[in-house]
Structure formats: C-alpha cells, structure tokens
Amino acid sequence: MRGDLERVLFDEPAIHRRLDEIAAQISGDYRDRELSVIAVLHGSLMFVADLLRRIPLPLKLDCVSVASYHGDSQSSGEVVFKEVTVPDVADRDVLILDDILDSGHTLAAIRAMVETAKPRSIQVCVLLSKKKQRAREVYPDYVGFEIQDEFVVGYGLDFKERYRNLPYIGVLRKELLG
Ligand code: IMP
Ligand code: MG
C-alpha cells in the first residue's frame, strides 16, 4: 500500500505528538464540564481512539455514520445519515470529532443535526483541514494539521474503503484516483 502513495505527510510519531498537544488543550478547556464526544465514523476511528485515550476526563461517546462521497474522491454535496438516531446530548458540552474538513458539507450537516438535540455547546475538532474555499463555512475549534487540497489516505482515511489501516497519512498517487 505504501507504493500507492506519492508521499507520506505525517508519520506515526508526528501524529501522536500532535495528538498529545490537542488532547492537553481539550482537557484544559473542558475540565469541570460534561463532555459528550460525537465521533463521525468511519474515517475518524483511529483518531478518536488515540485522542480520547489522552483525555483524562469523564466523557460520553456517541458515534454517527455518514457518507458524502459514495466511494469517489469528489464530494457530492449530498450527506446521507446511515444511523439516524440523534445522540442524546441535551444540556451537554458536545465535541464533534471528524477525520478531515474538506468541502464542509459533512460537518455543517452534522452540526445542524446535533443542534436539534439542544446541547449546551458545540465545538468541532478535526485531525486534518484542507486549505481551500469551502462550499459550507465550518470553523473548527481544534485542528490537528492544515494540509493542501490533495487527496490523502491512511490513519482512518480511505479511498474506496482502502488504506484506512495505514498507521500514517499520505497523499494518494493521482493516477489511482481515476
Ligand atoms: P466534506 O463533507 O467535503 O467536508 O468531506 C468530509 C468527508 O469526506 C471526510 O469525513 C472524509 O470521509 C471525506 N474526505 C474528504 N477529503 C478526503 C481526503 O483527502 N481523503 C479521504 N477522505 C476524504
Ligand atoms: Mg469521514
């Protein structure tokens, strides 16, 4: 699978070092509060597992599952909720965790869905944020790394459901995007 990458952007130690920093920041910001984490699957799976184990606070974890790409590398703009139950986060301080902020469609839709549950607050944390003009404006409160507008895989991120299990993040070779 390494051969399918143009280059590695963040290796395992770099990811873990950055997670230490974000976790410390989140732990400070949310101390004495009722933290409810909402993980956006599947892409955020590794990120959520590694980040939450660095946050020594009592917290509740819910997962939502969405698809906006339908296996392709272009965002369709249509966001389909696979699991429609809205997490019960009334009066809670919600932290939404997602793998990557691209067009903004996914996080804008999730934020709107979470708002219907009347939480006390909502913040957004993404591992990666693409530097680009977004279709929907989303301003994440915590960002692991800013990246150029390139298609990346690994550490949870997929292309047609592959590469999620790579322990590092890299740019997929353009000719493979098809
Ligand atoms: P958005 O709705 O366009 O912001 O896209 C968010 C979702 O698209 C992410 O949660 C990912 O699942 C997927 N995505 C966006 N960019 C990439 C990428 O470079 N690699 C892999 N998945 C991506
Ligand atoms: Mg995703």
Side-chain angles (χ1 to χ4, degrees):
M1 289 195 293
R2 172 66 184 88
D4 291 355
L5 299 188
E6 192 179 292
R7 64 190 192 281
V8 172
L9 287 182
F10 308 107
D11 63 12
E12 224 175 339
I15 294 170
H16 289 170
R17 274 197 305 274
R18 185 66 186 124
L19 294 189
D20 286 340
E21 293 171 358
I22 307 175
Q25 217 182 328
I26 293 171
S27 304
D29 293 352
Y30 281 91
R31 67 175 179 273
D32 308 323
R33 291 163 75 186
E34 287 290 300
L35 181 56
S36 271
V37 172
I38 297 182
V40 184
L41 298 181
H42 306 328
S44 72
L45 190 66
M46 318 291 172
F47 173 45
V48 170
D50 285 342
L51 183 74
L52 294 188
R53 282 180 292 179
R54 289 170 161 79
I55 300 179
L57 295 177
L59 59 81
K60 178 171 169 273
L61 172 63
D62 284 289
C63 298
V64 293
S65 203
V66 302
S68 62
Y69 270 22
H70 307 293
D72 216 336
S73 66
Q74 285 298 305
S75 184
S76 63
E78 188 203 350
V79 178
V80 182
F81 285 88
K82 288 191 205 153
E83 202 210 292
V84 284
T85 333
V86 180
D88 177 18
V89 291
D91 296 322
R92 313 243 342 168
D93 291 306
V94 171
L95 181 63
I96 299 171
L97 296 185
D98 202 0
D99 53 358
I100 186 165
L101 176 57
D102 183 17
S103 71
H105 283 299
T106 304
L107 277 168
I110 287 171
R111 212 194 153 98
M113 181 270 284
V114 172
E115 270 164 11
T116 66
K118 303 268 186 282
R120 202 162 81 99
S121 68
I122 303 179
Q123 287 203 302
V124 173
C125 172
V126 292
L127 177 63
L128 303 172
S129 172
K130 287 190 188 175
K131 281 187 239 171
K132 66 189 287 187
Q133 187 84 34
R134 302 194 203 292
R136 300 287 304 271
E137 283 184 13
V138 174
Y139 301 101
D141 301 281
Y142 306 93
V143 175
F145 303 101
E146 291 221 317
I147 61 168
Q148 299 304 319
D149 189 9
E150 295 179 297
F151 199 82
V152 295
V153 294
Y155 195 66
L157 291 141
D158 74 304
F159 176 61
K160 298 192 175 172
E161 298 302 329
R162 291 184 67 193
Y163 309 107
R164 291 195 197 276
N165 54 326
L166 287 175
Y168 44 81
I169 297 167
V171 178
L172 192 64
R173 279 171 37 209
K174 307 242 172 348
E175 61 268 32
L176 294 173
L177 286 169

